[in-house]
Amino acid sequence: MAFEQATPTTLQHISLARRGATYFEMSGPGEFIAAAVLFALMIVIRVVNILHYRFDSDEPQHLHVIWAWARGFVQYRDLFDNHMPLFHMMFASIFGFIGDRATILYVMRFVLLPMYFVAAWYTYKIGTCLFSRRAGIWAVILAGLYTRYHLISLEFRTDNLWAPLWLLCITVLVTGPLTVRRALVAGLLLGLCFGVSMKSVLFLLSIAVAALLTLLLVGRRNLALSWTHLVQCIAAFVVSTATIPATIMIFFAFKGLWRDFRYCVFDFNFLARGAPSLAYRIHLTVTIIIVLPIILYVARRMICAADGAGLTFRRVFILMLCASYVLAFKAFWPVRSHDDDPPFYPLVAVLCSGALIAASSKLSTLKWNVDHILRRVPVPAFFAIGEIFVLIAIQPIWKDRTKRETDLLRNVLTLLKPGDYVLDCKGETVFRQRGVRAVYETITKSAIQRGLILDNAPQRCVETLTCVVATTLIRTFPRDTSRFVRRNYLRVTNNLRIAGRELKPSATNPLRCKFEVTIPASYEIISPSENVSGTLDGIPYNGARFLAAGSHTFESTSPSPALILLWSQAVDRHFTPFEHHTSPNG
C-alpha cells in the first residue's frame, strides 16, 4: 500500500523535473534537480547571512543619511555625504515607517533583498540572450554563490541598487535590435545609476569603449547599421542618461545648495590621492599588455563560433564591457575597492557559464569514466558546489557576527536623547546628529594626512557639547582626535565612551582632587563602593551639577579609593565605568 501511494508522487516529481529540464534546455532531469537544489541552497544561505554576516561600516553610514532625510535634515547641507542622493531619498519614507530601533539594519537588509532578485532575473535574461536559458540559470547560481558577490550583495548599500539598474540597462541594450527607443530607455536607466552613484561614469565609459571595439571587430556593415542611425541612437542615449543627474543638480541648485552638493559629490571624491605611483602605473601597463591580447583572442573565437552578426555583437559587447569596466576602474577611479565590483560579477558569470556549458558538452562526448556523470550534471554544478564550500569556510552560517553593531544602536537609543550629539567615525550611531561634519573614511584620512582637510573634531565636540563617543571604529579616528577622546572620555561599554575623567587625589592632600573639564555639561561624581560627599568648587556637593570648561576642585569628606567624574545623563541611565558591559540591560 505504501509503495502504491508513493508511486504517483514520485512520478509527478520526475515529470516536473523533466518538464523543467526541457524548458531550461538542460541535459536531463538530473541537471534540473541539481540546479534547483543549488538555487535553493543559495537563497537559504543568503537569508541566514543577512542575519549573521557582520555589518560593514558603510551600512549604518547610509542609514544615518536616510535617518537625516526622514527627520527633515537635508543631505550635503546638514550632514556630509559623498554619494548621490537617489538611494537615500528612496528609502527615507520606509525608514520613517519602521522607526528608530536597534534591529533597523536587519530590516533594511531585507527591504533591499528584492533588488538582489532583480539582479538575478536580469542576469538570467542576459545569459539567455547570449547563450541559452540553461546558461542563464547557471550564471545566476555561479554569481550568487561567488563569495565576494554573495557577501557584498546582501549588505544595505548603494551598490545593491546601483548594480541591478546597471544590469537592467545592459539587458535593454542586448535583448533586441538597436533602435532609438531602446537607446532612450537604456540611457534613462543609466541615468538612474548616476542618481545613485557618480561611479556610473565608469559605466558610461565602459559602454562607449566596448561599443566602439565591438563595432570595429564585428563590422558595422555586418550589423546593417547606418551612420545616421548610430548617431541618432548615441544622441538619444546620451541625452536620456543626462536627464536624471541634471535634474538632481538643478534641484539642489534651486535650493541654494549647489556649493555643498558640488563639494560633497565631486570635489571631495578626488581628494583621495594624487597621481598614481610609478610602480602602480607600471603594474597597470603590464596588465593591459598581457590582458588585451587575451581579450582580443577570445573575442575572435566568439566571432568565429557565433551564428549571425547580432548574436556575435552581443557576446563580444559583453566581453568588452567587462574588460573595459575593470580597466577603467583600475586606471581612473580615485578609490579602488572590492565594494565596487558587484556590477561586474554577474556579467562575468554569464560568460563563464556559457564557456563551462560548452566545455561540459565537449567533455561528455569523450570516452572517459566520468562522461556519464557530465551528461547528467554539467561542469557548472561542480563549480557551484565548490563555491558553497568556500563561502561557508569564509563566512560560517552558524556564527552570528552582527552583535557589535546592534548592541551599539541599542545603547545609543537607551543613553541619548533625540537632541544629543555624538562623535562617531561614519555615522554608525545612525539615530543621532554627529558632532563633526567629516566622515572618517579612506578619502578623509588621506586628505587630512596631506593637509587638505582640517581635523577639527576636538573643537566641534566642545562647541556641540558632545558627551558621547562611539568607539567601534575608534582606530579610524585621526591621531589628534583619538588622543582627545582617550583623554576626555571614559569607556562605559564595549562601544561607548562618556565625557568624564578619573579624579586623582592631590599629592599633598589625599582628600582634594583638582581636575579639568573640557566639555561643558552636567556631571556627577560617583564611586563604586559608597555615596560621595564633600565640596565641589567650595560649594557642598549634593548631586549632578553643571560644570563649565576649565579647572575645578573637589574635596571629599572621607578618603575614597576611586572617584569618577561622569556625565550625569549616563549615570542616570546606568552607564558607568564600574560595570563594563555591552548593554545597560546586561
Side-chain angles (χ1 to χ4, degrees), residues 202-222:
L202 298 173
F203 291 162
L204 185 59
L205 181 61
S206 301
I207 289 174
V209 172
L212 177 60
L213 291 176
T214 307
L215 275 175
L216 291 174
L217 289 169
V218 177
R220 178 182 59 84
R221 292 181 179 178
N222 293 332

Side-chain angles (χ1 to χ4, degrees), residues 250-295:
I250 292 169
F251 168 80
F252 282 100
F254 271 110
K255 291 290 184 180
L257 302 175
W258 170 248
R259 277 185 157 185
D260 296 322
F261 173 84
R262 186 192 67 190
Y263 173 76
C264 292
V265 176
F266 294 103
D267 299 344
F268 174 81
N269 285 315
F270 289 95
L271 295 177
R273 59 175 182 173
S277 65
L278 177 61
Y280 182 79
R281 291 200 298 268
I282 293 173
H283 171 74
L284 182 61
T285 303
V286 171
T287 302
I288 293 174
I289 291 172
I290 294 173
V291 171
L292 189 57
I294 296 173
I295 296 296

Side-chain angles (χ1 to χ4, degrees), residues 24-169:
F24 291 110
E25 304 166 4
M26 293 179 171
S27 59
E31 181 179 351
F32 176 80
I33 292 171
V37 170
L38 288 168
F39 184 83
L41 283 173
M42 181 183 75
I43 301 304
V44 170
I45 294 171
R46 172 165 296 275
V47 172
V48 173
N49 279 338
I50 285 176
L51 298 172
H52 285 178
Y53 181 57
R54 56 102 182 133
F55 292 111
D56 185 83
S57 61
D58 286 349
E59 296 182 78
Q61 180 185 2
H62 292 307
L63 270 176
H64 177 66
V65 179
I66 293 169
W67 168 85
W69 276 112
R71 294 298 179 273
F73 297 104
V74 177
Q75 194 172 351
Y76 314 122
R77 183 192 69 188
D78 299 321
L79 73 162
F80 175 86
D81 185 64
N82 63 326
H83 302 87
M84 288 288 277
L86 187 59
F87 177 84
H88 308 100
M89 288 177 166
M90 283 179 59
F91 288 97
S93 58
I94 298 174
F95 188 103
F97 176 76
I98 297 169
D100 297 355
R101 58 180 68 190
T103 56
I104 187 72
L105 282 164
Y106 300 112
V107 177
M108 296 306 279
R109 277 184 172 183
F110 277 107
V111 168
L112 197 56
L113 180 60
M115 295 310 300
Y116 168 77
F117 290 104
V118 171
W121 172 251
Y122 288 110
T123 300
Y124 167 75
K125 294 289 286 184
I126 294 170
T128 300
C129 178
L130 266 61
F131 299 103
S132 64
R133 291 173 180 169
R134 184 188 189 192
I137 286 292
W138 285 114
V140 170
I141 294 171
L142 290 174
L145 290 173
Y146 181 63
T147 303
R148 281 184 180 171
Y149 181 70
H150 173 89
L151 295 178
I152 292 173
S153 63
L154 60 81
E155 295 174 356
F156 182 77
R157 58 191 311 131
T158 55
D159 306 83
N160 293 325
L161 175 61
W162 182 56
L165 288 171
W166 159 251
L167 291 172
L168 179 53
C169 172

Side-chain angles (χ1 to χ4, degrees), residues 158-322:
T158 55
D159 306 83
N160 293 325
L161 175 61
W162 182 56
L165 288 171
W166 159 251
L167 291 172
L168 179 53
C169 172
I170 299 304
T171 302
V172 170
L173 287 174
V174 301
T175 52
L178 181 61
T179 63
V180 173
R181 182 179 180 183
R182 187 176 295 276
L184 279 170
V185 174
L188 186 63
L189 291 166
L190 185 58
L192 288 171
C193 291
F194 273 99
V196 174
S197 175
M198 284 306 297
K199 291 181 293 188
S200 302
V201 170
L202 298 173
F203 291 162
L204 185 59
L205 181 61
S206 301
I207 289 174
V209 172
L212 177 60
L213 291 176
T214 307
L215 275 175
L216 291 174
L217 289 169
V218 177
R220 178 182 59 84
R221 292 181 179 178
N222 293 332
L223 296 167
L225 294 174
S226 67
W227 283 115
T228 302
H229 182 71
L230 279 176
V231 170
Q232 289 174 343
C233 291
I234 292 170
F237 182 79
V238 171
V239 169
S240 60
T241 296
T243 301
I244 290 177
T247 302
I248 291 172
M249 294 176 192
I250 292 169
F251 168 80
F252 282 100
F254 271 110
K255 291 290 184 180
L257 302 175
W258 170 248
R259 277 185 157 185
D260 296 322
F261 173 84
R262 186 192 67 190
Y263 173 76
C264 292
V265 176
F266 294 103
D267 299 344
F268 174 81
N269 285 315
F270 289 95
L271 295 177
R273 59 175 182 173
S277 65
L278 177 61
Y280 182 79
R281 291 200 298 268
I282 293 173
H283 171 74
L284 182 61
T285 303
V286 171
T287 302
I288 293 174
I289 291 172
I290 294 173
V291 171
L292 189 57
I294 296 173
I295 296 296
L296 292 175
Y297 171 76
V298 174
R300 280 295 179 188
R301 292 295 302 269
M302 285 182 170
I303 292 171
C304 295
D307 296 328
L311 180 59
T312 302
F313 181 88
R314 290 194 289 270
R315 290 181 179 178
V316 176
F317 176 71
I318 295 298
L319 174 66
M320 292 300 172
L321 198 62
C322 293

